[in-house]
Amino acid sequence: DQQVKQNSPSLSVQEGRISILNCDYTNSMFDYFLWYKKYPAEGPTFLISISSIKDKNEDGRFTVFLNKSAKHLSLHIVPSQPGDSAVYFCAALSGTYKYIFGTGTRLKVLA
Amino acid sequence: DAEITQSPRHKITETGRQVTLACHQTWNHNNMFWYRQDLGHGLRLIHYSYGVQDTNKGEVSDGYSVSRSNTEDLPLTLESAASSQTSVYFCASSDPGQGPGLKQFFGPGTRLTVL
């Protein structure tokens, strides 16, 4: 049973436009949500997080939105740059320090 | 600079052999994790540890074991490698002192092929 789902395996966006990556979850008890970026042949790196008591968190070009009633979060990248091309994973904190990851979305930013 | 390293980066082994993947972090983090990444599954938790002598099973722990004898290292052992364990393995660490929702730091990964 996939508790954290990223239903879009891939996404292509023009440079300068907005990229929106989506993530759905099933467990209303998740406390925190995080987004990680992963380049080929490298480990994932932390991008941005949000607490379940908030509905928005912003860091530069990256904004994460949380809709608890819909059990949905999204990552907005504005403006998108070619260097943003990577696989993006959302993750949810379950209980103590364990994270449940989604399957990832491959973003391609076209120059 | 503090870091987390994994070795080897690539490994080819045969079915039935025992394999150990190393993970070493210099962050002095208490929490350490092992994940495997497979197409269509994302990152799945194999084992994790909250400190020395503490180990716990994750969602895909069958066929794997870990031991934690010091803060810096969490080696992952495949007792008898199977083709289904061909995957990319990532080690991660985090600092519980930073509070809830804290981020994990990942190693560069080990690509394991079991023939």
Side-chain angles (χ1 to χ4, degrees):
Chain A
D1 180 29
Q2 193 82 27
Q3 295 189 65
V4 178
K5 298 179 184 180
Q6 292 178 258
N7 292 318
S8 298
S10 64
L11 174 69
S12 292
V13 172
Q14 284 295 132
E15 181 180 5
R17 299 290 188 103
I18 183 172
S19 294
I20 299 176
L21 295 93
N22 295 304
C23 182
D24 297 297
Y25 61 95
T26 57
N27 188 343
S28 59
M29 300 301 289
F30 287 143
D31 295 316
Y32 274 85
F33 301 89
L34 300 87
W35 285 94
Y36 286 84
K37 179 167 73 173
K38 184 185 177 307
Y39 292 119
E42 295 183 10
T45 55
F46 171 79
L47 198 55
I48 192 169
S49 65
I50 187 167
S51 163
S52 60
I53 62 173
K54 296 186 175 182
D55 54 20
K56 178 182 174 182
N57 188 27
E58 203 169 345
D59 184 2
R61 296 186 298 113
F62 303 92
T63 303
V64 57
F65 295 93
L66 178 61
N67 182 334
K68 288 186 287 295
S69 60
K71 295 190 178 67
H72 176 84
L73 69 155
S74 60
L75 174 69
H76 292 212
I77 306 173
V78 183
S80 301
Q81 300 173 353
D84 296 328
S85 296
V87 177
Y88 290 79
F89 291 99
C90 67
L93 176 62
S94 171
T96 45
Y97 299 105
K98 279 168 49 181
Y99 293 90
I100 298 174
F101 284 81
T103 52
T105 296
R106 183 178 302 277
L107 173 66
K108 188 171 184 179
V109 179
L110 306 169
Chain B
D1 287 345
E3 61 178 355
I4 181 166
T5 57
Q6 294 182 235
S7 61
R9 294 294 311 277
H10 301 272
K11 174 79 176 177
I12 300 174
T13 190
E14 295 176 344
T15 302
R17 294 204 179 240
Q18 184 181 77
V19 177
T20 297
L21 308 183
C23 174
H24 179 81
Q25 51 99 1
T26 58
W27 294 98
N28 201 34
H29 287 164
N30 281 333
N31 298 343
M32 294 186 74
F33 309 81
W34 273 105
Y35 295 89
R36 59 179 288 177
Q37 183 194 5
D38 303 288
L39 199 62
H41 290 280
L43 291 160
R44 292 182 292 174
L45 183 64
I46 305 171
H47 281 286
Y48 58 102
S49 168
Y50 292 149
V52 177
Q53 302 301 331
D54 176 76
T55 60
N56 305 279
K57 292 181 179 181
E59 62 177 309
V60 290
S61 61
D62 287 348
Y64 303 95
S65 64
V66 293
S67 61
R68 188 89 181 271
S69 58
N70 58 51
T71 301
E72 295 80 19
D73 300 288
L74 187 71
L76 176 71
T77 297
L78 286 68
E79 305 293 344
S80 177
S83 57
S84 60
Q85 294 176 308
T86 293
S87 186
V88 180
Y89 292 85
F90 289 100
C91 179
S93 71
S94 65
D95 180 7
Q98 292 184 5
L102 53 93
K103 59 187 179 184
Q104 294 175 315
F105 294 84
F106 282 83
T110 294
R111 182 175 294 276
L112 176 68
T113 302
V114 182
L115 301 175

